[in-house]
Amino acid sequence: MTRAIALVDGNNFYVSCQRVFDPKLEGRPVVVLSNNDGCVVARSQEARALKIPMGAPWFQIEGLARRHGILALSSNYTLYADMSSRMMRILGGFSPRQEIYSIDECFLDLTGFQRLGLTDYGQRMRRTVKQQIGIPVCVGIGASKTLAKLANHCAKKRPIYEGVCDFTAMTPAVLAPLLGEIAVGEVWGIGGRLAERLQAIGVRTVLDLQRCSPMRLRAARFSVVVERTVLELNGASCLELEGCAPPKKQIMTSRSFGAPVTSLAELTQAVIAYTTRAGEKLRRQGAVAGQIQVSIHTNPFQKGEPQYSQAVALALPSPSSDTRVLIKLALAGLQRIYRPGFRYQKAGILLDGLQPAQGRQRSLFEDVQGGQRGERLMAVLDRVNQRMGSGTLRLLGEGPGTDPPPRWKTKAARLTPCYTTRLADLAVAKAC
């Protein structure tokens, strides 16, 4: 039976999430900014048409934005994560095997669905997602994950396919000219540097790479990954769908501050907040950490100011996911590396030495009862925050949540409401 893999991708996902709840954004050039409203991380099609580059610092394009009426919004990751969860749940109903690849992309195994007509089936996916949550998606279908990615690229860029491109329905005589029009750099896993090296040996298009022999690639010292990509382009499925993401080996929470901070008290609040977030991620993974690293940095781009950057890693007495234990060690590390007289721009927490919480080897002198009480307390904390919103319950050292917020809090002057996760932010229909 011919293998059929679909890649479903949300179009301009961050912008599309905002447009669901604010229809006035439709047809307007919109960009979404990174943390601290720094750089462009998402663009509407109208903003792309104005040649707004991805990653452009906002302060450099503010003048252009005013001239063309470009609207900038702060990243609303709470909204995007919830909309992503809803989208993936809907798409999971179209196949028994799903791999969630990123916040706006997933692979679906459609092998055996050919009798339904895969192009029509893809259009059903698009209509269902659009109808139920308002997000436009495109669907690419191929015999391998790499071909599905490439088909999705065609579905987005070529209006003739109306949002669904199925390579498995194309004969070699039809597919070859299409692949001959696509630059080799568009292939999944072929970045800018690899594309330059391939072009240097005459491989300029996807078709060139598909027809490239393994012997030629080995002679040019390309890795086995590129050889595997060639096999995938020829329909051999070398990359299996992963039903669930593998557990992370490290967990990091790091943020730039909204404004430079100098005092140890402010850094302490930030480190407590970041350690709290890292602990939540750790418990969601069902893991415990054996080591914690805390780091602080000044802004290296601020010329004329004294610079300082330092980090320290400390081992936990016993592996734990208790936020209180993690914070105690993190603050000990902060005390060790803090130096007065500097304007700090960033802090970070890294949890390492992760292992599953269940079935781990305990030490001889470990306080088992105290650990169990801590686990129950953290479970209650997580349940309340999941139900009532992040930060509803928190350690006092993180700060009282006053208004205005502390200087280290990330700037988000253009933040939209969390329409789907906070009762106070629910959209309200008003009578005309």
Side-chain angles (χ1 to χ4, degrees):
M1 185 178 294
T2 305
R3 189 92 186 270
I5 303 294
L7 177 69
V8 189
D9 181 18
N11 300 345
N12 309 316
F13 185 71
Y14 288 180
V15 175
S16 295
C17 289
Q18 302 284 3
R19 283 175 166 171
V20 169
F21 300 97
D22 189 355
K24 294 194 296 293
L25 300 179
E26 290 288 352
R28 289 190 61 182
V30 180
V31 297
V32 175
L33 304 178
S34 62
N35 288 332
N36 287 314
D37 295 343
C39 301
V40 174
V41 294
R43 305 159 293 170
S44 68
Q45 209 57 45
E46 295 81 5
R48 291 169 189 253
L50 293 171
K51 308 296 184 186
I52 301 296
M54 183 69 87
W58 173 243
F59 75 89
Q60 290 184 0
I61 61 171
E62 276 190 284
L64 179 67
R66 281 192 296 271
R67 288 196 299 274
H68 293 282
I70 300 171
L71 183 64
L73 302 173
S74 300
S75 294
N76 190 335
Y77 296 117
T78 303
L79 174 65
Y80 307 151
D82 186 65
M83 293 296 284
S84 171
S85 175
R86 294 169 188 235
M87 184 175 86
M88 298 308 171
R89 196 159 52 243
I90 293 167
L91 292 171
F94 284 90
S95 169
R97 295 190 65 208
Q98 178 188 35
E99 176 188 336
I100 298 174
Y101 180 65
S102 69
I103 194 168
D104 63 341
E105 293 177 287
C106 75
F107 290 101
L108 299 173
D109 191 346
L110 301 185
T111 305
F113 285 66
Q114 285 87 342
R115 59 187 174 77
L116 301 175
L118 294 184
T119 300
D120 291 340
Y121 199 57
Q123 292 294 355
R124 261 178 62 189
M125 291 183 207
R126 297 185 73 228
R127 287 193 301 271
T128 304
V129 174
K130 181 69 174 174
Q131 180 185 34
Q132 293 191 15
I133 61 170
I135 300 291
V137 300
C138 282
V139 183
I141 303 169
S144 66
K145 291 169 80 171
T146 302
L147 285 171
K149 267 270 195 182
L150 203 58
N152 184 276
H153 168 79
C154 293
K156 276 187 173 180
K157 301 294 183 181
R158 300 178 180 238
I160 188 174
Y161 296 115
E162 299 181 334
V164 178
C165 180
D166 180 10
F167 280 177
T168 67
M170 298 182 187
T171 63
V174 173
L175 186 57
L178 176 59
L179 299 184
E181 296 173 4
I182 304 172
V184 70
E186 296 295 343
V187 176
W188 186 30
I190 303 296
R193 290 185 180 179
L194 270 180
E196 289 177 5
R197 287 183 59 199
L198 287 166
Q199 289 164 5
I201 64 169
V203 178
R204 294 181 174 81
T205 69
V206 178
L207 186 63
D208 293 335
L209 183 60
Q210 186 189 50
R211 293 176 174 176
C212 203
S213 71
M215 191 176 298
R216 184 183 177 193
L217 291 171
R218 288 191 203 116
R221 298 183 180 278
F222 283 97
S223 69
V224 68
V225 176
V226 179
E227 289 187 37
R228 188 176 63 192
T229 299
V230 174
L231 291 172
E232 285 253 325
L233 287 174
N234 282 282
S237 185
C238 304
L239 302 170
E240 290 299 319
L241 266 66
E242 297 179 1
C244 57
K248 294 179 180 178
K249 297 180 180 179
Q250 295 179 325
I251 289 176
M252 185 169 194
T253 304
S254 178
R255 297 282 187 277
S256 293
F257 302 143
V261 302
T262 56
S263 72
L264 180 60
E266 289 177 297
L267 280 174
T268 296
Q269 277 192 359
V271 166
I272 289 174
Y274 299 166
T275 307
T276 298
R277 301 291 92 74
E280 290 170 353
K281 295 177 185 177
L282 184 66
R283 292 190 293 274
R284 258 198 313 269
Q285 185 173 303
V288 291
Q291 179 177 282
I292 185 168
Q293 176 181 292
V294 58
S295 60
I296 50 176
H297 312 273
T298 55
N299 186 353
F301 301 105
Q302 198 68 42
K303 304 302 180 185
E305 286 193 1
Q307 299 296 318
Y308 177 73
S309 175
Q310 191 58 267
V312 63
L314 300 171
L316 277 74
S318 298
S320 176
S321 62
D322 190 323
T323 297
R324 299 167 303 166
V325 174
L326 299 174
I327 286 175
K328 183 177 180 180
L329 213 57
L331 294 183
L334 178 63
Q335 289 275 1
R336 188 183 298 184
I337 62 176
Y338 171 73
R339 297 290 182 273
F342 294 97
R343 284 159 51 86
Y344 294 98
Q345 183 63 26
K346 188 175 184 178
I349 292 294
L350 176 68
L351 300 181
D352 207 348
L354 307 191
Q355 56 181 290
Q358 296 296 324
R360 68 179 178 86
Q361 183 70 41
R362 295 183 181 272
S363 69
L364 180 62
F365 302 104
E366 186 173 342
D367 181 3
V368 176
Q369 288 187 338
Q372 291 174 344
R373 284 196 299 271
E375 289 171 7
R376 290 195 294 271
L377 176 61
M378 292 300 109
V380 171
L381 193 73
D382 291 340
R383 279 200 300 272
V384 171
N385 286 333
Q386 286 166 11
R387 184 172 180 180
M388 307 301 293
S390 179
T392 300
L393 286 181
R394 59 181 181 272
L395 275 74
L396 182 60
E398 189 177 334
T402 55
D403 192 25
R407 291 190 299 168
W408 58 267
K409 284 280 190 180
T410 302
K411 283 191 298 189
R414 307 163 187 272
L415 187 65
T416 55
C418 296
Y419 298 102
T420 62
T421 56
R422 189 180 297 153
L423 286 173
D425 289 349
L426 284 177
V428 177
K430 295 182 179 179
C432 297

